Amino acid sequence: MSAEAAQRIALLRQEIEAHDYRYYVLAQPVIADAEYDRLMSELRDLEEAYPELVSPESPTQRPGGLVETRFEPVAHRVPMLSLANAFKQDDLQQWEARNRRLLEGRALGYAAEPKIDGLAVSLRYQGGRLMQGATRGDGFTGEDITPNLRTIADIPERLNEPIDLEVRGEVYMATADFEALNARRLNEGEGLFANPRNAAAGSLRQQDPRVTRTRPLRFWAYAAIGLPSVPTHTEALARLADLGLPVWQDAASLSDMDAVWAYCQRYEQLRPTLPFEIDGVVIKVDAVREQAELGAVGREPRWAIAFKFPPIQATTRLIDIRISVGRTGTLNPVAILEPVAVGGVIVSRATLHNEDEIRRKDLRLGDVVIIQRAGDVIPQVVKSIPERRTGAEQPFAFPEHCPECGSAVIKPEGLAMRYCTGGTVCHAQLVEQLKHFASRRAMDIEHLGGKLAESLVSQGLVRDLSDLYHLDRATLLTLDRFAEKSVDNLLGAIADSKARSFERVLFALGVHEVGEQTARILAEQFGSIDALATATLDDLLAVPGCGPVVSQRIHEFFAEPRNLAVIEKLRAAGLQFRARAQAALAGPLAGESYVFTGRLATMARPEAEALVVKLGARASSSVTKATTRLVAGEEAGSKREKAQKLGIPIWSEDQFLAHLRTVAPEVVVPGGAS
Ligand code: IVH
């Protein structure tokens, strides 16, 4: 048995050393921290079970990291230790129990602060002046990176007092700075950093400090050596702050483990909102004297421990890349992953944005990849790990034809995305179009969600957007799990949507690049769909906010006969294709706001609404102070009461029809009542 254990131990040590080298020296780890921790704890467990196999060279017996030779070595006068990890509350309780045993039951006070994800450095001040700065290295010997550290604004050249002091702290990069740096590198065709910590490490280990200077590095201090007469860690931090060093403002002095646990949980909650990455909370016995009494075992002090949050990065396998087709025909690659827990959530898909990203990250089907989740955002694939390839991995070829409709795929010049040319022929596009059209900020058609959009398209009930306004009640009732009430609600909501303003209709049409804001401006500037549709490229370019790309997309949209046909059908259905001011000028009911309630004898409510809208009024489903007229049919209920209360004039159906015949005799009122 122990031969097997010895073999496994040797393998683990070899593996861990290789990872240490990649992590500390190359700043290019190939596994996520959580996986590294697993290897380490397996090794530790085995060594515990077979103490005869423990050797001083084992990674469990010394701090990780190797010394690189490019920089001058610096011997640390006090070793830079690492920390034991706690993953659950129980681990923390055991840690406290051991400390109390060692200190004969004395109650301990604690200090806690976030464990920021950067890299440890040591700064030596003499007479208040920064003399030397070094990396951690192997914990005993680090590297002299003084010129690089001097480029970091957070690290003072001079302290506020002329004292001798060694400061320990973390150099890190804020998340936003990291993203901006990567965006810049992408532009310049340089390799991307996997995460802020790697970016900080890579930036600090530059031979040329001028390169480091261009990197947005930050620093905060978490320990000091040589501060006379400070009895606690908390006070040491306050003293460091007085000396002009950045310390964590919310470092807390905590009286017991309940408070420690509450702090850990609070920071786990805060984690996604912090401007930099933390991977846990460091808990320290607060009193310096007790720290000394507790001492260290191997590479780890007994008086401090790191509570590690569940990882938000993880390694897993890329099983497949599937293409989903977006509303505008974009082919969006989606990574299908072997399910893995990341930050407490099981992740099995991640976005890949576009083809360039797949190429840049060198992703192949079957690759081991690093994925990450930040807050609520969709998981991302950070990179592949080519070192872990077996040779069976397949490069991904983008399809030449739309996987949904078979239409040709094009990649317009200068754009990163590929597009399906199928337009509304492509069901996937039509479903997305419909979802967008019905969405709250567009036509706001309640009850029309993704599922329904899919069945409407797949059943052939909607072939273009205008079909929505001719849906047949009886046919809808045949749809799966669609009860009478839901059908009526849907039809009501669709009818209500006819009252939406021109700018919203324009946004809902889903012209590429035309968002809400652009739609508003276009509606204002052109006033009607006809003016917009016949605008030249130059006309469009003259519109504020319409750059060449947007103008081009709008122009293309109106050059497509299929789009014009849909617009005509929507117009016939009663949608608004004029800006409000012009509609007001145009109709005899301009400025009015109608609400219909109860059952009408001569027409359906939606028809009545469309009618008044056509005549320049607004139609709404709820009575407000802005309502100018309520038309009450049979069995009118609460809306009538509300209108009465608000003093809004109420008409019967007959009065309404009579008024129409007066103001708009050209309108043939169906039913022809009295
Ligand atoms: S105290 C003996 N405090 O975590 C105690 N370390 O795994 C030494 N770290 O190398 C460390 N934030 O780079 C301490 N608030 C904090 C920390 C912190 C991050 C890093 C540090 C150290 C590693 C230990």
Side-chain angles (χ1 to χ4, degrees), residues 74 76 78-81 116 118-125 130 132-137 139 142-146 148-150 152 154-155 166-172 200-201 203-205 212 217-225 245-246:
V74 176
H76 297 304
V78 176
M80 292 182 77
L81 301 175
I116 195 161
L119 65 160
V121 298
S122 179
L123 309 171
R124 206 154 51 75
Y125 286 91
L130 178 63
Q132 191 177 56
T135 62
R136 187 175 89 149
E143 301 157 307
D144 187 339
I145 50 163
T146 316
N148 292 348
L149 288 170
R150 284 193 203 280
I152 301 176
D154 286 345
I155 298 180
E166 193 164 325
V167 178
R168 301 269 165 92
E170 199 86 352
V171 170
Y172 66 98
S203 305
L204 257 195
R205 306 185 85 272
T212 308
L217 293 174
R218 317 231 29 193
F219 172 78
W220 57 274
Y222 53 66
I225 297 158
L245 287 152

Side-chain angles (χ1 to χ4, degrees), residues 585-634:
L585 283 180
L589 298 185
E592 298 261 47
S593 178
Y594 274 79
V595 175
F596 294 88
T597 186
R599 190 151 28 89
L600 303 179
T602 58
M603 62 185 103
R605 205 171 39 171
E607 280 175 72
E609 288 171 343
L611 197 55
V612 296
V613 163
K614 202 163 150 190
L615 297 174
R618 283 190 295 145
S620 162
S621 54
S622 53
V623 176
T624 68
K625 272 191 278 182
T627 308
T628 55
R629 181 84 54 194
L630 182 80
V631 178
E634 258 172 66

Side-chain angles (χ1 to χ4, degrees), residues 24 79-85 112-121 136 168-171 220-223 233 237 248 279-284 299-306 308:
Y24 290 105
M80 292 182 77
L81 301 175
S82 51
L83 292 170
N85 290 328
E113 63 215 356
K115 184 169 189 297
I116 195 161
D117 215 5
L119 65 160
V121 298
R136 187 175 89 149
R168 301 269 165 92
E170 199 86 352
V171 170
W220 57 274
Y222 53 66
H233 173 70
L237 289 186
W248 186 243
D279 60 352
V281 167
V282 181
I283 301 129
K284 300 166 186 175
R299 67 199 291 203
E300 293 156 3
R302 285 202 192 88
W303 52 269
I305 193 164
K308 292 289 235 15

Side-chain angles (χ1 to χ4, degrees), residues 23-75:
Y23 182 104
Y24 290 105
V25 177
L26 304 178
Q28 279 172 357
V30 295
I31 55 170
D33 290 2
E35 200 173 320
Y36 178 86
D37 289 342
R38 266 200 299 283
L39 292 176
M40 207 58 177
S41 68
E42 186 188 345
L43 178 59
R44 214 174 275 126
D45 291 350
L46 277 172
E47 290 183 346
E48 227 164 77
Y50 301 94
E52 70 277 14
L53 296 177
V54 178
S55 89
E57 289 86 53
S58 173
T60 58
Q61 303 303 303
R62 55 170 174 75
L66 298 163
V67 187
E68 252 269 64
T69 48
R70 289 188 302 165
F71 298 92
E72 286 301 307
V74 176

Side-chain angles (χ1 to χ4, degrees), residues 143-325:
E143 301 157 307
D144 187 339
I145 50 163
T146 316
N148 292 348
L149 288 170
R150 284 193 203 280
T151 69
I152 301 176
D154 286 345
I155 298 180
E157 272 296 314
R158 259 174 201 284
L159 299 178
N160 293 333
E161 286 171 41
I163 58 167
D164 293 352
L165 184 70
E166 193 164 325
V167 178
R168 301 269 165 92
E170 199 86 352
V171 170
Y172 66 98
M173 201 177 277
T175 318
D177 289 336
F178 158 74
E179 276 161 9
L181 174 64
N182 258 357
R184 200 171 80 205
R185 291 176 69 84
L186 177 60
N187 250 338
E188 287 158 9
E190 292 184 72
L192 298 187
F193 291 112
N195 53 46
R197 187 191 51 215
N198 293 148
S203 305
L204 257 195
R205 306 185 85 272
Q206 293 291 326
Q207 288 293 339
D208 184 350
R210 282 172 304 183
V211 176
T212 308
R213 189 179 293 283
T214 66
R215 304 288 172 77
L217 293 174
R218 317 231 29 193
F219 172 78
W220 57 274
Y222 53 66
I225 297 158
L227 270 185
S229 63
V230 280
T232 62
H233 173 70
T234 320
E235 279 157 282
L237 289 186
R239 182 91 172 89
L240 288 178
D242 285 344
L243 287 168
L245 287 152
V247 297
W248 186 243
Q249 291 303 315
D250 184 37
S253 160
L254 306 165
S255 56
D256 58 26
M257 288 309 279
D258 285 343
V260 165
W261 183 241
Y263 190 90
C264 292
Q265 287 187 305
R266 183 154 71 83
Y267 269 91
E268 195 168 340
Q269 292 271 306
L270 282 176
R271 183 186 197 186
T273 68
L274 294 177
F276 44 79
E277 290 193 356
I278 63 173
D279 60 352
V281 167
V282 181
I283 301 129
K284 300 166 186 175
V285 168
D286 204 12
V288 174
R289 241 195 59 192
E290 283 165 348
Q291 290 182 358
E293 279 180 67
L294 287 167
V297 257
R299 67 199 291 203
E300 293 156 3
R302 285 202 192 88
W303 52 269
I305 193 164
F307 173 73
K308 292 289 235 15
F309 299 143
I312 49 166
Q313 271 204 355
T315 45
T316 186
R317 198 169 295 277
L318 176 64
I319 301 170
D320 196 7
I321 294 176
R322 279 191 209 147
I323 303 291
S324 84
V325 182

